[in-house]
Amino acid sequence: MPLERRSWAEPFKIKVVEPVRMTTPEQRRKAIEEAGYNTFLLRSRDVYIDLLTDSGTSAMSDRQWAGMMLGDEAYAGSENFYRLEAAVRKYYGYRHVIPAHQGRGAENILSQVMIGPGDVVPGNMYFTTTRLHQELAGGRFVDVIIEAAHEPASEHPFKGDVDLEKLETVLKENPGRVPYVSLAATVNMAGGQPISLANLRAARALADKYGTRVILDATRVAENAWFIQQREAGQSHRSVREIVLEICSLTDGCTMSAKKDPLANIGGFLALNDDEAAEKARNLVVVYEGLHTYGGMAGRDMEAVAIGIEESVEDDHIRARIGQVIYLGEKLMKWGVPIVKPVGGHGVFLDAKAFLPQIPQSEYPAQALAAALYLDSGVRGMERGAVSAGRDPVSGAERFPRLELVRLTIPRRVYTQAHMDVTAESVYCVFEEREKVKGLKITYEPKHLRFFQARFAPAV
Ligand code: P61
């Protein structure tokens, strides 16, 4: 057999390990019942391979841990804030940096500063916390992502792209009522799908034409930059670092959850170029987060974020990070398991509608599939379908999105290829027995972001 040589391996070696626990089927049955069939309500000690999220679950580098010892825990003017500010300016290029405890803290401040009652916010697909803060500020989110984003089987290379006609219609029909265009890189709810530079430039031009701003959700911007490098014409010679800087330069500011790309366990920030908006944000941050030089983070956390930002834009890092996600996705595709194509940046998304066609969307097939996968092997994924979409704030009716997915999210630098193999095998076992999986009904539903705490029981 000819030797097939891999072109890359992880650009790190492992220095510290954390034991994980295997459980028996009976233990898992009891645990998922106690959790009301909601993987968010499982105790992590009952989870074998935790693919709930890539948020705050990264393995920090030795440099980041060393940086934690340099925490300047001064209430005001911490040295680490200035290190964070310098990193944001250097790698993302924004002028003003307002720290926040995590992404949604930044979203709250941004929404309160920019959105008023009756405003309309177009964007490339909703994200749960982002849309909720826009709605709580009186705005209405309008989805202007391309059609292909809603089709799991579409192989479009940039499913995060904006439908420019739809965007222009929203801008034209709502003069003076669009505070900004809300663009994410990569698009989480679409399956970790990137936006192209060409499309971002065109969206920017439309925003300029109608006199509004573009705000980026930069949470996974380095992952998006890698896809641009790999797939967009004329970009293959550029570094991820250069592309990240260009993406940010096409926008007026960003919100960031530093728990993702920047490889930290907690943290976030709002970054803006506009002096006046930044001044307002700096004033509001003291109400909700903390002083404007820590925003809810400890000094040591800001240091970890500053170092993590630098590590996150390294080509070798991103290649291995997304390479691992693609490894899992390709294995599942080879076995005929329906997933969102192309494989996304931060996880593999199972297409629950195609996986479990016997379960109507009103019985939450993705929720049922996430529970079934946990029962099989202790692998924990997350529902991203009707439960996550929640209810319309005005009518109260459930919003049934076209995508009904289970996300298997890969934490950065945490799991090995063997963990990916075990995961793929478990998904395949559930797939083989898919007709046995039954639908669910809600037994408890909280008002906001219901997917986090809702409880379920078998529908029949
Ligand atoms: C996640 F089930 N994401 O993917 P914060 N923007 C984007 C995010 O992905 C994001 C935030 C803003 C999480 C955690 C999470 O419905 C959920 O630091 C693109 O988490 O506040 C977070 O950043 C918010 C899981 C959030 C969820 C909301 O797992």
Side-chain angles (χ1 to χ4, degrees), residues 40 52-55 101-105 107 127-130 184 186 188-189 217 219-220 255-260 267 346 382-384 388 407 409 449 451-452:
F40 278 107
L52 183 71
T53 178
D54 62 331
S55 180
H101 76 284
Q102 60 183 86
R104 70 199 74 180
E107 291 171 344
F127 186 69
T128 54
T129 57
T130 318
T186 56
N188 194 346
M189 303 301 282
D217 184 335
T219 296
R220 297 182 182 86
T255 52
M256 171 63 98
S257 169
K259 305 173 72 172
K260 284 84 165 176
H346 64 303
M382 178 196 291
E383 192 269 3
R384 294 280 80 171
S388 295
R407 187 180 74 174
T409 341
L449 304 175
F451 54 88
F452 282 133

Side-chain angles (χ1 to χ4, degrees), residues 138-450:
R140 182 167 60 87
F141 177 81
V142 181
D143 187 8
V144 295
I145 203 165
I146 56 169
E147 262 313 283
H150 299 282
E151 296 158 7
S154 160
E155 304 256 13
H156 193 296
F158 290 103
K159 285 167 107 173
D161 277 359
V162 170
D163 180 325
L164 297 164
E165 264 178 44
K166 276 192 196 159
L167 174 59
E168 182 148 23
T169 304
V170 174
L171 292 167
K172 207 184 280 171
E173 286 178 355
N174 298 280
R177 298 263 57 156
V178 179
Y180 60 92
V181 181
S182 178
L183 295 183
T186 56
V187 180
N188 194 346
M189 303 301 282
Q193 303 294 326
I195 180 170
S196 64
L197 264 184
N199 185 261
L200 180 57
R201 286 194 197 110
R204 164 87 258 173
L206 279 178
D208 287 342
K209 180 173 163 193
Y210 289 90
T212 187
R213 291 170 285 214
V214 178
I215 300 290
L216 179 72
D217 184 335
T219 296
R220 297 182 182 86
V221 66
E223 292 173 6
N224 198 118
W226 187 81
F227 283 119
I228 288 173
Q229 183 197 61
Q230 298 297 307
R231 295 180 186 166
E232 193 160 348
Q235 298 298 323
S236 60
H237 67 287
R238 301 177 75 196
S239 65
V240 164
R241 182 175 158 175
E242 282 173 290
I243 299 170
V244 164
L245 206 50
E246 182 174 356
I247 294 173
C248 295
S249 76
L250 291 165
T251 70
D252 301 291
C254 81
T255 52
M256 171 63 98
S257 169
K259 305 173 72 172
K260 284 84 165 176
D261 253 10
L263 296 157
N265 300 128
I266 192 71
F269 56 83
L270 169 64
L272 294 166
N273 287 332
D274 182 78
D275 295 341
E276 204 183 312
E279 205 44 50
K280 284 188 192 154
R282 225 174 257 125
N283 191 224
L284 265 191
V285 85
V286 298
V287 180
Y288 293 102
E289 303 284 314
L291 196 73
H292 60 279
T293 55
Y294 75 87
M297 282 182 280
R300 55 182 172 270
D301 297 327
M302 291 190 280
E303 189 65 27
V305 175
I307 296 169
I309 288 172
E310 189 184 329
E311 294 180 358
S312 77
V313 297
E314 289 293 329
D315 282 62
D316 286 352
H317 159 70
I318 292 281
R319 182 188 309 113
R321 187 278 184 282
I322 301 184
Q324 188 178 40
V325 180
I326 290 174
Y327 173 83
L328 174 62
E330 284 185 343
K331 204 157 197 167
L332 290 172
M333 284 193 283
K334 204 169 72 198
W335 294 342
V337 176
I339 67 169
V340 173
K341 294 175 189 169
V343 179
H346 64 303
V348 172
F349 290 65
L350 308 177
D351 177 2
K353 276 188 186 169
F355 202 114
L356 301 174
Q358 75 274 24
I359 304 182
Q361 204 174 9
S362 56
E363 292 182 9
Y364 314 117
Q367 191 75 34
L369 180 53
L373 183 62
Y374 171 75
L375 269 174
D376 180 73
S377 60
V379 170
R380 167 157 73 171
M382 178 196 291
E383 192 269 3
R384 294 280 80 171
V387 181
S388 295
R391 292 178 183 277
D392 183 274
V394 180
S395 72
E398 284 198 282
R399 309 189 244 216
F400 289 108
R402 282 164 67 189
L403 294 176
E404 177 74 23
L405 310 173
V406 173
R407 187 180 74 174
L408 304 174
T409 341
I410 314 301
R412 296 167 187 78
R413 309 193 290 209
V414 170
Y415 289 116
T416 65
Q417 192 163 320
H419 289 112
M420 297 302 107
D421 291 338
V422 167
T423 299
E425 287 161 19
S426 174
V427 172
Y428 187 69
C429 285
V430 177
F431 187 56
E432 289 240 288
E433 309 237 294
R434 57 192 177 277
E435 70 290 341
K436 290 194 189 148
V437 181
K438 300 272 189 293
L440 295 170
K441 62 179 181 204
I442 294 187
T443 57
Y444 165 68
E445 178 176 354
K447 181 159 184 263
H448 297 304
L449 304 175
R450 63 179 186 172

